[in-house]
Amino acid sequence: MGKRVRGKPLLYGDGKVFLAFCPSSGGIFELEPEEFKALKENLPEAEELKRVMLEYDGEKYTVGDFIGHLTSLGIELERLNAPAVVIFELTRNCNLNCKHCIVSAGRPLPKELKTEEWLKLVDEISDYAVRLTLTGGEPLIHPGFFRILKRAKEKGLSIRLLTNGTLVEEHSKELGGLLDARIDEVQVSLDGLKQAHDSIRGEGSYAKAIAGVKALVREGLPVSVAFTLIPENRGEALGLYREVAKLGIESFRIAWGLPVGRLRKAVPYAEYLKTVEEVKRASEKLGVPVSGGELGAPLEVKAESFYPCAAGTSQVFIASTGDVYPCLVLRYPFFRFGSVREEKLIDIWRKRGWERLKRDLSGSDCEKCPLFKSCRGGCPGESLIYRGDYNAPSPACRMRVEKG
């Protein structure tokens, strides 16, 4: 018997597709159903499979690559048979009152799921999912947060925690004891240097968030910083990037703030792309990767009938009240597919109706665009927000910007 793989490999199995990711060797492996079962149940015959995975010496992948591969499969296969990524909006409660919050977080909603209900969901999704994303509101405010996180780690799930960072420092030891730096990630939101950030999120929030980032880095955890470009923080991205790049973060993400929730007006998409490129140039010297405005992997899709992205094909979002949507942005009655208080998530996922997520861009400029198979018309949620039409091309169009 060779060296043991620390913990179980990450596993995805939906009855049709069976895959494993070994974080120790960086390998992604296709499995037979019986191999998946052996690894999932930690049967004796799984030891040889683990040894082979540990000794893999080919191209090295990350957990992000693994999830990206599942996303591509979800689109190409016209939906996976079970979600690979599940997002829990633990609560709408938040200790901040950010000017651009997409869900206008502040107070908890009536009839939010209780801790025991979330724990039951963790047990359910661990049968098939790879990653659990915890968000809010502010997830660390939820009274059952650490019980939910601990259960998810006991079940072998990869974790992505989205936080405003203000409560992180006091909980950093607990987070460091539960999270695995090879497969888990904490994303902290920062919207500029002190003056700009505090004007958007509240006095003193910048210092607390920076302290949280430093505490997580001391714990050896991978931290990404998320910056959302809105009219109030124009010109702040580069200075913030230079500051946080010194702290040992893993990556820096720039998002385009959408006029929904508390935000009433967005910056032009051309300005967003210019900001991204400016910060990416700085990253060539400072070394911390910058993301924003990228296109997806080229996939064989046809303009008249296709699933555009991870939402509803490999990923699902559960609101704090238990309602099920494809993603946070598509939180519209038309895209509510059920409630986990009434049905199991897997049954909601497999019932009819999800085909309404298919998009039709035939006859649009997108159909003949050389970037179509990568862009797929952009985010359909953005199309709904800006144009009121799921099947309209997204306003976030790189080609349109380049053509002027």
Side-chain angles (χ1 to χ4, degrees):
M1 188 185 299
K3 291 188 296 183
R4 290 179 180 271
V5 174
R6 179 188 163 199
K8 293 181 180 179
L10 285 177
L11 301 172
Y12 175 79
D14 66 2
K16 297 178 180 179
V17 175
F18 300 94
L19 294 169
F21 168 69
C22 177
S24 297
S25 66
I28 296 175
F29 307 87
E30 292 185 7
L31 301 174
E32 296 297 328
E34 60 271 18
E35 293 175 325
F36 176 83
K37 176 180 172 65
L39 287 164
K40 195 72 177 176
E41 299 179 10
N42 211 22
L43 301 177
E45 53 265 40
E47 293 303 321
E48 176 62 18
L49 290 170
K50 290 181 180 180
R51 184 189 64 79
V52 171
M53 290 180 182
L54 192 63
E55 293 178 355
Y56 168 82
D57 193 32
E59 186 173 351
K60 306 300 181 187
Y61 299 98
T62 66
V63 65
D65 295 327
F66 184 43
I67 291 169
H69 178 59
L70 286 164
T71 298
S72 296
L73 283 177
I75 296 169
E76 291 180 319
L77 299 176
E78 298 204 328
R79 302 189 71 239
L80 297 176
N81 204 36
V85 177
V86 181
I87 304 169
F88 285 5
E89 180 193 57
L90 291 181
T91 180
R92 196 70 69 84
N93 195 10
C94 189
N95 59 329
L96 301 181
N97 189 40
C98 306
K99 292 180 179 179
H100 59 317
C101 182
I102 194 171
V103 296
S104 301
R107 294 183 178 182
L109 296 178
K111 300 181 180 179
E112 290 191 333
L113 295 182
K114 306 297 184 185
T115 298
E116 293 301 325
E117 292 176 289
W118 287 120
L119 291 172
K120 184 179 178 182
L121 277 166
V122 170
D123 292 343
E124 179 191 336
I125 70 170
S126 66
D127 287 340
Y128 45 81
V130 171
R131 167 164 281 180
L132 172 61
T133 297
L134 300 174
T135 186
E138 172 49 49
L140 283 164
I141 282 181
H142 192 281
F145 172 81
F146 280 101
R147 288 182 64 196
I148 296 163
L149 177 59
K150 183 178 180 183
R151 180 71 65 86
K153 293 312 300 177
E154 289 171 349
K155 293 292 184 177
L157 291 166
S158 165
I159 296 294
R160 186 167 183 245
L161 171 61
L162 310 183
T163 174
N164 62 39
T166 59
L167 305 176
V168 165
E169 184 180 25
E170 62 192 274
H171 295 296
S172 60
K173 293 293 182 184
E174 292 168 276
L175 291 169
L178 287 169
L179 298 178
D180 182 339
R182 303 168 308 158
I183 60 173
D184 300 328
E185 174 193 0
V186 182
Q187 177 181 290
V188 177
S189 296
L190 283 159
D191 293 314
L193 294 171
K194 183 181 184 302
Q195 184 176 352
H197 180 91
D198 283 0
S199 71
I200 293 167
R201 292 183 175 260
E203 189 65 32
S205 59
Y206 177 81
K208 291 178 181 178
I210 289 292
V213 169
K214 291 178 178 178
L216 291 169
V217 171
R218 286 196 298 271
E219 292 297 320
L221 295 174
V223 182
S224 65
V225 166
F227 171 90
T228 301
L229 181 63
I230 61 176
E232 288 85 348
N233 63 3
R234 282 183 161 115
E236 287 286 320
L238 182 58
L240 176 66
Y241 173 75
R242 286 173 171 159
E243 188 65 27
V244 297
K246 305 172 187 175
L247 303 182
I249 65 169
E250 295 282 322
S251 61
F252 187 87
R253 175 175 172 265
I254 305 175
W256 185 40
L258 298 175
V260 67
R262 292 200 187 101
L263 188 63
R264 291 291 172 261
K265 185 178 180 181
V267 301
Y269 190 67
E271 181 180 342
Y272 166 74
L273 289 179
K274 183 177 179 181
T275 300
V276 171
E277 292 307 313
E278 179 183 42
V279 181
K280 283 186 174 181
R281 285 195 295 271
S283 74
E284 295 173 5
K285 180 178 180 180
L286 296 177
V288 175
V290 175
S291 62
E294 290 86 6
L295 301 175
L299 301 175
E300 292 300 319
V301 294
K302 297 181 180 179
E304 64 271 18
S305 179
F306 67 98
Y307 288 98
C309 61
T313 60
S314 62
Q315 167 198 288
V316 69
F317 175 87
I318 304 175
S320 64
T321 52
D323 295 316
V324 175
Y325 300 93
C327 71
L328 171 65
V329 180
L330 291 176
R331 194 198 297 242
Y332 293 84
F334 184 71
F335 293 112
R336 180 189 178 276
F337 289 95
S339 169
V340 294
R341 281 186 162 141
E342 299 167 2
E343 303 172 83
K344 285 189 173 183
L345 179 62
I346 194 65
D347 293 334
I348 295 172
W349 181 267
R350 290 177 179 173
K351 70 182 182 182
R352 292 187 59 82
W354 291 85
E355 62 273 6
R356 75 187 70 157
L357 289 171
K358 279 196 169 185
R359 209 169 180 190
D360 185 350
L361 290 174
S362 56
S364 72
D365 291 341
C366 297
E367 187 173 23
K368 297 179 181 179
C369 177
L371 300 179
F372 169 70
K373 290 183 179 180
S374 294
C375 171
R376 297 182 288 279
C379 172
E382 293 170 350
S383 298
L384 270 175
I385 292 167
Y386 275 90
R387 310 191 193 284
D389 184 358
Y390 182 83
N391 288 313
S394 168
C397 177
R398 182 178 291 272
M399 290 295 285
R400 194 176 295 118
V401 168
E402 291 178 356
K403 288 179 181 178

